[in-house]
Amino acid sequence: METNVNILVECLDIIASVKLGVLAPLSLAEKKGLCSVRFVCSMNIKKSDLQWCDILITVRGSDFLNKLIVKSALNAGKFIIYYLDDDLLNLPEEALCSKYFTDDCKMWLKDCISMSNVIWSANDKILQKYSVFNSNIRAVKICPPVKISDYSKFLKKDFKKIKILYAGSTDHAYVLKKYIRDAVIKISKEFNDRVEFVFIGADPDIKGLKNVKCFGFINNYDKYKEIVINGDFHIGLAPIEISEF
């Protein structure tokens, strides 16, 4: 079957949002021959890429370069989809990235949405909040495909150690220090060799405990996924502060 729809996906970098949020769902359609998908980093977009595509998907577009690409696609009569998986306009002040997300970035984000035909997210609240920047935009909810692991094998094991994982960006370090750090220290000391905490990305700043391990942010999503899958973790921590974000 010949593909009749060419989809160009652009972002400043090939981040997890691109791989998991956009390319993973599109790969299912591409395997069925319904479309052809090409990812190109924003800095490397060429006129020929825009000429090739029927649909442009900009991922978390909030840079002046993203705005230029979307505007060029609009002028060329392309169908434009804006993908968003975070409430970027309401980043917590404590988050490290908030100081880089300037008023200009907020303006460019709104500009990109205003020129788009569709806003795509897996989050209903984001769709509702960001659709207001374009009265003609269509909101589409598509969740990334997730492979559910078979945990029945764990139920048959006699665990000598419970492994607990936290995985998140460095921006969330303040949440760990505020809500999780003291509890982790107390549990680690009380249960010692019976429990292990692993932190990937954000660092709770816990020193001197052999059953608390911290790894820096892993930029390679495939490598990160491999570590999580092979870690045989039993519990996942997902603390989040109650805020607009």
Side-chain angles (χ1 to χ4, degrees):
M1 180 186 298
E2 291 186 4
T3 61
N4 55 7
V5 178
N6 294 330
I7 302 176
L8 175 64
V9 182
E10 75 93 16
C11 185
L12 294 178
D13 199 0
I14 186 161
I15 57 178
S17 298
V18 171
K19 285 194 169 186
L20 181 62
V22 176
L23 295 183
L26 290 180
S27 68
L28 301 178
E30 191 172 27
K31 288 177 182 178
K32 295 180 180 179
L34 301 176
C35 62
S36 180
V37 181
R38 177 189 298 178
F39 171 79
V40 182
C41 288
S42 307
M43 286 290 293
N44 299 325
I45 292 281
K46 299 177 181 178
K47 184 178 180 180
S48 57
D49 294 314
L50 291 175
Q51 290 175 332
W52 168 83
C53 77
D54 302 296
I55 299 173
L56 171 73
I57 301 179
T58 181
V59 180
R60 297 167 63 99
S62 54
D63 188 90
F64 184 65
L65 180 56
N66 300 128
K67 176 184 174 179
L68 290 180
I69 292 170
V70 171
K71 187 174 182 179
S72 297
L74 177 67
N75 292 337
K78 308 299 181 178
F79 191 86
I80 302 168
I81 299 175
Y82 187 95
Y83 177 85
L84 186 62
D85 55 1
D86 264 331
D87 191 357
L88 295 179
L89 295 179
N90 293 290
L91 291 171
E93 292 183 3
E94 297 87 348
L96 298 177
C97 67
S98 63
K99 61 182 179 180
Y100 301 107
F101 200 79
T102 63
D103 289 339
D104 282 339
C105 293
K106 295 178 181 180
M107 178 181 64
W108 295 326
L109 182 154
K110 295 175 184 177
D111 288 341
C112 287
I113 292 178
S114 71
M115 293 184 285
S116 299
N117 302 98
V118 167
I119 180 169
W120 168 13
S121 181
N123 186 294
D124 289 316
K125 291 186 177 180
I126 286 179
L127 290 174
Q128 182 180 2
K129 290 174 69 172
Y130 286 78
S131 294
V132 301
F133 302 121
N134 183 340
S135 60
N136 296 316
I137 204 166
R138 282 183 286 169
V140 176
K141 180 180 180 180
I142 302 177
C143 297
V146 179
K147 183 179 180 181
I148 306 300
S149 300
D150 179 12
Y151 286 102
S152 60
K153 60 181 180 179
F154 294 122
L155 301 178
K156 301 176 183 179
K157 289 185 178 181
D158 180 20
F159 293 118
K160 295 182 179 179
K161 179 183 290 187
I162 300 297
K163 299 183 70 176
I164 302 172
L165 171 70
Y166 173 85
S169 71
T170 54
D171 287 327
H172 300 292
Y174 78 96
V175 174
L176 296 182
K177 294 175 183 178
K178 186 175 181 179
Y179 297 105
I180 298 296
R181 184 177 183 274
D182 291 345
V184 170
I185 293 174
K186 182 177 181 180
I187 293 172
S188 297
K189 290 180 177 178
E190 183 174 347
F191 294 98
N192 202 4
D193 293 334
R194 293 172 56 193
V195 66
E196 178 179 288
F197 287 92
V198 175
F199 293 89
I200 300 177
D203 186 350
D205 192 25
I206 298 174
K207 304 292 190 296
L209 294 177
K210 64 178 183 179
N211 54 351
V212 177
K213 300 178 180 178
C214 297
F215 298 91
F217 179 73
I218 302 172
N219 193 44
N220 186 313
Y221 177 70
D222 293 326
K223 182 65 176 178
Y224 157 76
K225 188 167 65 172
E226 179 184 347
I227 292 173
V228 173
I229 291 174
N230 295 333
D232 285 344
F233 297 104
H234 311 115
I235 299 173
L237 299 178
I240 188 164
E241 198 167 37
I242 299 175
S243 67
E244 182 67 19
F245 175 78

